[in-house]
Amino acid sequence: MQPTSLAFQSKAAAALADPNLQTALGGIKTGWQRGRILAAERLPEFEQLRDQARDIKNHALANLDFYLEAFEARVLDAGGQVHWARDAAEARRIVQEICESADAKTVTKSKSMIAEEIGLNDHLEAAGITPVETDLGEYIIQLRKEPPSHLVGPAVHLTKDQVADLFEQTHGLPRTDDPTELVGQARTVLRQKYLQADVGITGANFLIAETGSAITVTNEGNAELTQGLPKVHVVIASLEKVIPSMEDAFTLLRVLARSATGQEFSAYTTVMTGPKRPGDLDGPEQFHVVLLDNGRTGMIGSKFQDMLRCIRCGACMNNCPVYLAAGGHAYGWVYVGPMGSVLTPQFVGIESAHTLPNASTFCGRCEEVCPVRIPLPNLMRHWREEQFKRQLMPSTVRQGLGAWGYLARRPALYRLATRLAMGVLGRLGKKRGRFARLPLAEGWTVSRDLPAPEGRTFMQQWRQRQRSRP
Ligand code: SF4
């Protein structure tokens, strides 16, 4: 997928004017955002679990080479194969070769952000192999030829009516907007595809070093049918998904679903270890794990290492005021919301995504809700510094920031300048109490008035309040 992140502002403006999108995004607040709050309240040890989750991921990252080698050894012991992919092209080639060796015409897929990251569907289609998405949201966006707009709910940007229209056109059945009937239609189509597929491709939420297992969580059971019915199963996952033990996985699972959707646990948690064994009634004959680096080892030891703790729960976007107004497609690449604003510049280059770290009010809500305590605002700040250093912002903004930086390093001069500015603004705005337009503040005044300051700086008001305290 070609990044279009530089168009964030215009896409966000279009998103704000799209009533369907605004209706769909409104559901996140009352659904997942509220669900997380209630789930956390019901679990007294939730904050403690978050600390443990952070520590598990930090430990795994600090010993990544050890756990990856242990994972590979256990997969081989179980009769599976491990393929190491340095980048997206290598991962695509490996998956294609596995599919071709199985003479695959159709592959079923359960939701995998790594498959999105490497553009797997387009590649397989170009090679004459038909990928079929089996997650309901992914199935919907595949029909619409769109990328996902959310980590957990890829089609969360659509209303029920839009899905009803789509299914009427695609399935050729009488229109219905009954959710149960809509799901039933998708199920009927997909059941056939499961039976036709030669290869099943899944992602993995966690890879377990002590057993060589891959764990998936879904609410639809589609990953289970994807990995269990075809004769070949391919797991495609990035390196940082490896954690030491099954016990660690269950600690992480306890915070994952609660943070994502407010569920105590996802409906299906599946542990996949190796291919079908003698005596097993079902299961794939081949079990492949494709381990993708794609720049992640370069993040180890860098100021962005914390980002590798991400367990893709989506809580940061569910609680981000910018995401909730602009939606996922405005971010212009695979990863969206606050986590996408950190990861996208990493993967596609800051030159192609420098708008994203600015798509934040720095309210800090994303960090507050992240189950593995990733300091997202800090990481976005690092990218803003890079943006400034590489001169990627307009010269007026650079000059403004340069002037502000000069003053900020000279407190006495800063206080004098702000006192003067507040005094002038206070006098100019005294009559109307607000400004409809103001130089350097067009971003604010384009859609609302700027309240006129009372004529004193924040510091002056603060000092006066301190003095008048009893
Ligand atoms: S950054 Fe944190 S909150 Fe956001 S998806 Fe990753 S784990 Fe979840």
Side-chain angles (χ1 to χ4, degrees):
M1 178 180 172
Q2 285 300 317
T4 56
S5 307
L6 294 183
F8 181 86
Q9 271 181 306
S10 59
K11 287 184 174 201
L16 285 167
D18 179 342
N20 279 329
L21 178 63
Q22 294 303 316
T23 303
L25 292 172
I28 295 179
K29 274 192 193 168
T30 49
W32 295 335
Q33 194 186 100
R34 175 117 187 93
R36 180 198 171 275
I37 294 169
L38 297 177
E41 282 172 2
R42 283 194 300 268
L43 188 71
E45 67 269 33
F46 186 65
E47 292 305 315
Q48 196 187 336
L49 278 174
R50 290 177 65 195
D51 289 340
Q52 288 174 14
R54 175 200 56 205
D55 295 346
I56 289 167
K57 291 292 287 185
N58 276 345
H59 172 78
L61 291 170
N63 301 279
L64 193 60
D65 50 350
F66 173 79
Y67 287 118
L68 283 169
E69 286 180 10
F71 173 76
E72 181 182 36
R74 296 292 84 75
V75 173
L76 297 178
D77 290 346
Q81 297 174 55
V82 175
H83 311 262
W84 300 85
R86 266 173 298 239
D87 54 25
E90 200 169 357
R92 288 191 297 260
R93 179 181 56 72
I94 292 167
V95 176
Q96 182 186 342
E97 284 172 5
I98 296 170
C99 292
E100 285 173 348
S101 71
D103 201 18
K105 301 285 177 290
T106 302
V107 303
T108 41
K109 286 180 68 230
S110 73
K111 192 157 75 61
S112 160
M113 293 311 293
I114 297 301
E116 298 286 344
E117 182 182 319
I118 65 171
L120 186 60
N121 280 5
D122 288 348
H123 182 80
L124 290 178
E125 276 175 24
I129 300 164
T130 306
V132 179
E133 295 291 349
T134 61
D135 172 273
L136 180 61
E138 289 280 346
Y139 173 69
I140 291 167
I141 60 167
Q142 189 181 28
L143 293 177
R144 287 173 59 97
K145 302 191 191 319
E146 282 179 343
S149 67
H150 189 283
L151 288 179
V152 176
V156 75
H157 56 288
L158 300 172
T159 62
K160 187 180 59 171
D161 281 342
Q162 288 175 295
V163 176
D165 291 342
L166 176 72
F167 278 15
E168 184 188 14
Q169 289 157 19
T170 312
H171 296 154
L173 294 169
R175 188 181 191 281
T176 175
D177 59 6
D178 179 72
T180 309
E181 287 181 28
L182 290 169
V183 172
Q185 286 185 15
R187 180 182 288 133
T188 305
V189 173
L190 290 173
R191 283 288 149 115
Q192 286 307 313
K193 303 291 182 189
Y194 288 122
L195 298 173
Q196 289 165 5
D198 309 290
V199 173
I201 300 173
T202 68
N205 290 82
F206 305 106
L207 302 172
I208 312 299
E210 74 174 355
T211 60
S213 311
I215 294 185
T216 57
V217 293
T218 71
N219 281 317
E220 298 164 25
N222 60 305
E224 292 65 30
L225 293 171
T226 300
Q227 62 98 13
L229 290 179
K231 58 181 186 282
V232 177
H233 176 204
V234 181
V235 178
I236 178 158
S238 47
L239 301 178
E240 83 282 8
K241 293 282 169 73
V242 74
I243 53 171
S245 67
M246 202 60 84
E247 197 179 336
D248 292 331
F250 280 90
T251 301
L252 288 158
L253 286 166
R254 291 185 75 195
V255 292
L256 174 61
R258 285 180 170 89
S259 302
T261 55
Q263 292 167 279
E264 288 178 9
F265 234 64
S266 301
Y268 298 88
T269 298
T270 301
V271 180
M272 303 164 282
T273 313
K276 181 178 172 179
R277 295 159 304 184
D280 282 351
L281 292 179
D282 50 27
E285 290 160 20
Q286 293 177 32
F287 178 75
H288 298 266
V289 183
V290 181
L291 285 173
L292 176 72
D293 183 338
N294 212 20
R296 287 164 172 83
T297 46
M299 292 167 72
I300 303 276
S302 80
K303 51 193 172 188
F304 295 105
Q305 176 170 323
D306 287 339
M307 198 60 228
L308 293 173
R309 291 204 298 271
C310 178
I311 56 173
R312 307 291 192 261
C313 71
C316 54
M317 55 202 73
N318 294 346
N319 287 274
C320 173
V322 176
Y323 174 90
L324 290 174
H329 287 162
Y331 289 78
W333 202 59
V334 173
Y335 298 111
V336 303
M339 60 81 75
S341 295
V342 177
L343 273 184
T344 304
Q346 182 74 39
F347 289 136
V348 307
I350 184 68
E351 288 77 8
S352 301
H354 57 80
T355 43
L356 298 188
N358 297 308
S360 169
T361 61
F362 276 9
C363 65
R365 188 74 186 125
C366 49
E367 183 175 356
E368 277 172 30
V369 297
C370 176
V372 284
R373 302 195 188 281
I374 298 174
L376 289 154
N378 237 355
L379 301 184
M380 283 186 260
R381 191 173 294 117
H382 290 324
W383 279 128
R384 288 188 186 184
E385 288 160 8
E386 274 307 306
Q387 184 192 16
F388 185 78
K389 269 193 233 156
R390 297 188 200 192
Q391 306 194 0
L392 295 170
M393 49 183 62
S395 57
T396 47
V397 177
R398 281 181 54 74
Q399 284 157 9
L401 282 174
W404 184 85
Y406 179 86
L407 290 173
R409 287 193 296 274
R410 293 162 181 81
L413 194 56
Y414 181 88
R415 281 194 288 274
L416 178 66
T418 50
R419 266 205 303 270
L420 278 172
M422 285 304 110
V424 171
L425 285 177
R427 264 196 289 281
L428 287 176
K430 197 170 181 180
K431 201 166 164 194
R432 296 186 66 199
R434 59 193 166 82
F435 294 98
R437 297 179 72 174
L438 197 66
L440 302 176
E442 292 91 348
W444 177 285
T445 55
V446 72
S447 54
R448 56 224 185 276
D449 288 346
L450 181 75
E454 64 157 48
R456 292 177 306 153
T457 65
F458 171 80
M459 295 298 286
Q460 287 173 307
Q461 294 179 51
W462 176 263
R463 266 197 299 276
Q464 188 181 12
R465 190 175 293 186
Q466 295 294 92
R467 276 199 296 268
S468 58
R469 273 195 174 164

